[in-house]
Amino acid sequence: MSPGNLASNPRVLKEADALHGAGYDVTAIVCDYNQVLRQADDEIEAAVPWKVIRLSRSRGEGLRARAFERLARLLSILRVRIPVSVAALSARTPVGALMRRAAEVPADLYIAHYVAALPAVAGAARRHGALIGFDAEDFHSGEGTDAPGDEFRMRMIRTVEQAILPSCAHMTAAAPLIGRAYAERYGVACPATVLNVFPLAMAPAHQRRACTSEEAGALRAYWFSQTIGLDRGLQAFIKAMSLTKTRVTLDIRGSNRWGHGDALIALAASLGLGDRVRLLPMAAPSEMVRLAADYDVGLSLETEVSENRRICLTNKIFTYLLAGVPVVMSDTPAQRLLAPDLGPAARLCSLDDPADLTVTLDELASAGRLAEASQFAWRLGRERYNWDQEQNVLLQSVAAAFARRERGN
């Protein structure tokens, strides 16, 4: 169950496919709020073998959320304990719609994706005598920054998580440090780590031969996301590009709806790199591995704007590996923990030191280094970091939850 569109959360699709393949009867309840993604959702729904329920935006939903937010703020000012239902409904997410629809769908296990779905799975589980599950793609109560209203929003999220997570029979997290953070904050068993990897079927059939910078004329770098942002380390990378001996180019893929891509292009132009940085349009999640395979290096430049960004492992890393592309990662705690397992396929760098990043890029482009890194990435994608392997962790966690219920634990 997810408050997002089908096409906006590949993790929901992968988990539903895995559970269906293991013999479970799967129903995915998702929202259908983003009209841009509606056609992609239609195509996905027509292709998947499991049932999909899509919820349209209801009238007055925004007004109700704002009313509950005002109530929650008033109770906070009065130092009155805020009920879980009020904390949940104060979020400007489709909590109420998910709660109403989930209650109508009988199941043995309800799995929430994102905090907005937690009250829905908890209520439906109580009604039908079922188990509760939660997949933590992020450390949601650690997503706050210094933005106005974030402190209050994080308090509401913690209120919901504290009330529901201790009752979960099945919990998974997208990174080891995310799981550890949830365990420490709420006293729950550490969730099993299910990485944001992708099926082998998405991988290119053949690895593209990695050229040295002398052969190709440039080291081609790539970054992608749903939305281009200014808090993703790209400014530091562009500044480092202006210092490299190697000619480095950068393609940035994602929505430029906030104009942040334009700001990055302007920065590149100011450094004399106007012909080396390009913006590319969004593409379907199913195409991401294939598209990444055309590059020499992929970028996962997480910044430490929040606790969550420090401890997350995004799907970028594993998209690049499955494509046979080495990855340059910023030195966050989560990526630092992963780096030794990736060996030559990964390079850690400091975003606070453009010179360090410059050295990293020049070394990677030197004769033999890029070929070695690419070959290692290709092997890791096929032998370890793919959904064909990783889905077993999910299935074992679900099976263990049902087994504990059978034993009466």
Side-chain angles (χ1 to χ4, degrees):
M1 187 180 309
S2 170
N5 285 60
L6 270 179
S8 70
N9 194 343
R11 196 168 170 93
V12 170
L13 305 183
K14 290 181 296 186
E15 294 193 4
D17 278 339
L19 291 166
H20 173 83
Y24 294 100
D25 184 10
V26 177
T27 299
I29 303 176
V30 297
C31 289
D32 188 12
Y33 285 18
N34 189 331
Q35 294 184 6
V36 175
L37 297 176
R38 190 158 294 160
Q39 182 177 347
D41 284 358
D42 291 341
E43 294 170 359
I44 293 170
E45 183 177 2
V48 298
W50 30 270
K51 185 177 179 181
V52 178
I53 296 174
R54 291 158 65 180
L55 307 180
S56 300
R57 190 185 301 274
S58 62
R59 246 182 223 180
E61 184 176 290
L63 290 174
R64 287 191 293 272
R66 285 191 287 274
F68 276 106
E69 181 181 354
R70 287 194 293 270
L71 175 58
R73 289 184 180 277
L74 175 61
L75 293 176
S76 178
I77 292 171
L78 297 174
R79 299 184 182 276
V80 175
R81 187 183 66 83
I82 300 172
V84 176
S85 59
V86 173
L89 292 166
S90 70
R92 298 188 183 183
T93 51
V95 174
L98 290 170
M99 290 175 68
R100 290 188 294 273
R101 192 64 179 94
E104 300 170 356
V105 181
D108 298 306
L109 169 66
Y110 295 87
I111 302 175
H113 287 253
Y114 303 104
V115 176
L118 272 173
V121 301
R126 283 194 300 270
R127 179 171 182 174
H128 297 286
L131 301 177
I132 302 172
F134 181 57
D135 178 63
E137 189 164 355
D138 289 289
F139 183 42
H140 297 294
S141 52
E143 290 181 307
T145 63
D146 293 330
D150 259 13
E151 190 277 333
F152 177 79
R153 185 168 64 91
M154 292 303 105
R155 282 179 54 204
M156 297 303 97
I157 289 175
R158 288 195 295 272
T159 297
V160 174
E161 290 180 338
Q162 178 67 71
I164 298 174
L165 293 186
S167 300
C168 286
H170 155 75
M171 277 189 70
T172 51
L177 294 186
I178 290 177
R180 188 183 303 173
Y182 271 111
E184 291 174 353
R185 175 160 289 181
Y186 300 114
V188 298
C190 194
T193 299
V194 177
L195 298 170
N196 263 324
V197 295
F198 295 91
L200 279 170
M202 289 186 177
H206 304 286
Q207 183 181 16
R208 182 182 64 82
R209 187 179 77 86
C211 301
T212 65
S213 59
E214 291 81 4
E215 293 174 317
L219 187 71
R220 295 175 299 172
Y222 180 59
W223 180 94
F224 71 93
S225 188
Q226 289 191 35
T227 303
I228 299 170
L230 296 180
D231 59 351
R232 310 305 295 275
L234 291 170
Q235 297 97 311
F237 187 85
I238 292 171
K239 290 175 184 176
M241 287 172 59
S242 68
L243 303 173
T244 56
K245 298 175 184 177
T246 305
R247 177 181 169 85
V248 180
T249 64
L250 172 62
D251 282 358
I252 301 170
R253 185 181 299 281
S255 169
N256 188 30
R257 62 183 298 188
W258 306 116
H260 294 155
D262 298 329
L264 294 171
I265 292 293
L267 172 63
S270 73
L271 296 171
L273 306 174
D275 62 336
R276 293 206 234 160
V277 179
R278 297 191 304 168
L279 301 183
L280 302 178
M282 293 180 65
S286 60
E287 292 294 301
M288 285 303 160
V289 177
R290 181 186 64 80
L291 293 170
D294 289 334
Y295 294 88
D296 300 311
V297 61
L299 308 181
S300 179
L301 306 176
E302 300 305 323
T303 61
E304 300 195 15
V305 295
S306 69
E307 179 63 17
N308 178 60
R309 300 318 304 177
R310 297 181 71 248
I311 63 177
C312 73
L313 294 174
T314 68
N315 60 17
K316 291 181 185 63
I317 300 169
F318 307 110
T319 297
Y320 302 140
L321 294 178
L322 193 56
V325 174
V327 55
V328 171
M329 306 187 299
S330 54
D331 191 17
T332 61
Q335 297 191 144
R336 190 184 315 134
L337 184 65
L338 176 67
D341 293 335
L342 304 188
R347 298 291 193 279
L348 276 179
C349 65
S350 170
L351 296 181
D352 296 326
D353 184 1
D356 174 62
L357 184 48
T358 298
V359 170
T360 296
L361 294 172
D362 281 331
E363 286 184 350
L364 186 59
S366 63
R369 293 284 180 88
L370 185 58
E372 177 193 21
S374 300
Q375 186 59 44
F376 208 82
W378 178 264
R379 196 174 80 203
L380 285 173
R382 272 138 196 80
E383 295 179 359
R384 167 63 184 91
Y385 296 105
N386 60 72
W387 186 245
D388 301 58
Q389 297 289 331
E390 198 72 5
Q391 66 179 330
N392 293 323
V393 181
L394 166 71
L395 297 177
Q396 289 166 10
S397 178
V398 169
F402 283 126
R404 286 192 296 271
R405 185 177 69 169
E406 290 297 318
R407 294 196 301 267
N409 294 338

